[in-house]
Amino acid sequence: LRHNTQSEGALRAAAHRLGLSAEGRARLVFTDLLAVEVELQTKALADVLLDTPLFGAHTTGVDGLWAGLPLLTAPGESLPSRVPASLALEAGSGST
């Protein structure tokens, strides 16, 4: 989900710094809010769902797991930051 241009730029810069190819970086997609039907269809086209520390992937995480996506998350200390990891573990796509 597109939050702001600063965070989108930071993620793209981190991908470049970590050695993701130009082709790989071009596959990073950020969207505005979409209608539910469209959102579920687009999730099925993705390779991975990235959770963010600011907005835990609660409903989005469930939708992504339902679409068959692996969920990449880094649980923190707060309950909301741990929910996506719990979802991934329950769905069988996570590890501790």
Side-chain angles (χ1 to χ4, degrees):
L1 180 63
R2 179 172 287 129
H3 177 62
N4 61 50
T5 55
Q6 183 180 1
S7 59
E8 185 175 331
L11 286 168
R12 290 187 187 282
H16 183 264
R17 218 176 26 257
L18 293 170
L20 190 62
S21 69
E23 178 184 338
R25 292 191 310 273
R27 296 181 64 191
L28 293 174
V29 177
F30 300 88
T31 66
D32 295 317
L33 288 175
L34 302 170
V36 173
E37 304 81 28
V38 175
E39 182 180 341
L40 291 174
Q41 290 170 351
T42 58
K43 277 187 176 57
L45 301 173
D47 296 317
V48 65
L49 179 62
L50 300 175
D51 182 30
T52 63
L54 291 177
F55 305 100
H58 293 96
T59 302
T60 302
V62 170
D63 291 345
L65 290 166
W66 191 35
L69 293 175
L71 174 60
L72 181 60
T73 186
E77 295 296 317
S78 69
L79 175 64
S81 73
R82 293 191 311 270
V83 168
S86 296
L87 293 171
L89 285 171
E90 275 303 306
S93 69
S95 63
T96 57

